[in-house]
Amino acid sequence: MVGCVSYEEIQLWSLEQYRLCLEKDREEGADVDALFDELEKSIVANIADDVRVSVQDDNIEMIIRKNFPIDKL
């Protein structure tokens, strides 16, 4: 699964890592246009800098990260 990392008992998916993998695949000639189109349609993907979802046993954690420039606060 693209953007997914496994640490023994923990599964972790990251939107940022997913984007990086798609970009790498595109550079290598893979047809990922449909996947990029889906990202462009995603409200969360357009608002957040990263989304991380981790699963360990029966626990699911979702962290949505957005960076704000300090000069705009």
Side-chain angles (χ1 to χ4, degrees):
M1 178 183 247
V2 177
C4 188
V5 178
S6 179
Y7 301 101
E8 293 183 25
E9 298 177 7
I10 300 173
Q11 296 289 323
L12 174 67
W13 180 88
S14 165
L15 176 63
E16 183 177 34
Q17 187 63 39
Y18 180 70
R19 284 182 182 143
L20 291 172
C21 289
L22 288 181
E23 289 170 7
K24 181 181 174 190
D25 289 348
R26 180 181 272 170
E27 288 172 3
E28 294 174 356
D31 183 17
V32 292
D33 291 337
L35 297 174
F36 270 109
D37 286 344
E38 289 298 318
L39 271 179
E40 289 177 5
K41 293 176 187 175
S42 169
I43 293 170
V44 173
N46 283 297
I47 296 172
D49 291 313
D50 193 18
V51 176
R52 293 184 182 180
V53 179
S54 62
V55 179
Q56 182 177 14
D57 299 324
D58 293 338
N59 299 312
I60 299 172
E61 179 179 58
M62 179 184 289
I63 299 171
I64 300 175
R65 194 184 85 226
K66 176 66 180 169
N67 296 323
F68 294 98
I70 293 175
D71 61 337
K72 302 226 178 181
L73 293 178

